[in-house]
């Protein structure tokens, strides 16, 4: 998939539920039904993309399953903030996975690269190159910490700010965090290459 298609998909994935939420609110729906309709629109997009591309994105399926679980919890409690916290929960889980992988074994970023390339060659490099181990550990720790901070900050803001404010702000903060992490990764890779 080229970069333009990736950015276009990201804009659809981020923008669609937010636009649908605010449209529903403008039409007079309460916060919880508006969030639910926005989430269902995103779920419909996942289904549409799966049918058109004939492939279900594993991450999209995880996000969809999380939405369904949190929608049920929101409906049972009547608290729309639970559903609004979906991205924070997912970011926190990803952050814990990234940081935890450094503590209990090999960094997950290394594991992903190893699976995409010649595993034996990567294993040999892992065993013999301390700089490579530091590189992947640093990548995983920084990205994981960034995602954990993002999740905590947005979680606190979801509790403190009005739902209508956080429906858009939460996603904007998450996209900003991902953009900052992407810029950092590019800087860090460039720094390693020039050394």
């Amino acid at each position: 998939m080229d970069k333009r298609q990736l950015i276009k998909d990201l804009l659809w994935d981020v923008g669609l539920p937010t636009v649908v939420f605010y449209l529903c609110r403008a039409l007079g729906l309460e916060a919880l039904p508006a969030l639910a309709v926005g989430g269902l629109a995103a779920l419909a997009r996942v289904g549409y993309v799966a049918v058109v591309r004939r492939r279900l994105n594993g991450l999209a399926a995880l996000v969809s399953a999380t939405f369904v679980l949190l929608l049920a919890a929101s409906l049972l409690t009547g608290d729309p903030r639970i559903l609004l916290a979906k991205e924070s929960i997912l970011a926190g889980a990803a952050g814990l996975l990234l940081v935890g992988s450094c503590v209990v074994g090999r960094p997950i970023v290394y594991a992903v690269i190893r699976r995409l390339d010649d595993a034996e060659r990567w294993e040999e490099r892992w065993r013999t190159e301390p700089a490579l181990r530091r590189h992947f550990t640093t990548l995983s720790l920084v990205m994981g910490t960034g995602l954990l901070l993002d999740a905590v900050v947005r979680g606190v803001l979801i509790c403190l700010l009005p739902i209508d404010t956080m429906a858009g702000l939460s996603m904007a903060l998450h996209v900003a965090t991902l953009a900052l992490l992407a810029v950092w990764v590019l800087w860090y890779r460039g720094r390693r290459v020039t050394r």
Side-chain angles (χ1 to χ4, degrees), residues 152-189:
V152 169
V153 167
R154 284 188 301 129
V156 169
L157 291 175
I158 286 168
C159 293
L160 296 176
L161 296 177
I163 292 168
D164 286 340
T165 301
M166 280 311 296
L169 183 59
S170 178
M171 193 55 72
L173 290 171
H174 188 53
V175 169
T177 298
L178 294 177
L180 285 172
L181 287 173
V183 167
W184 180 84
V185 166
L186 292 173
W187 171 82
Y188 183 67
R189 278 182 49 196

Side-chain angles (χ1 to χ4, degrees), residues 96-120:
L96 284 173
L97 182 64
L98 283 159
V99 171
S101 71
C102 297
V103 174
V104 299
R106 294 187 182 176
I108 201 162
V109 175
Y110 166 78
V112 169
I113 295 294
R114 182 182 174 276
R115 287 189 68 190
L116 297 175
D117 200 0
D118 179 8
E120 281 185 33

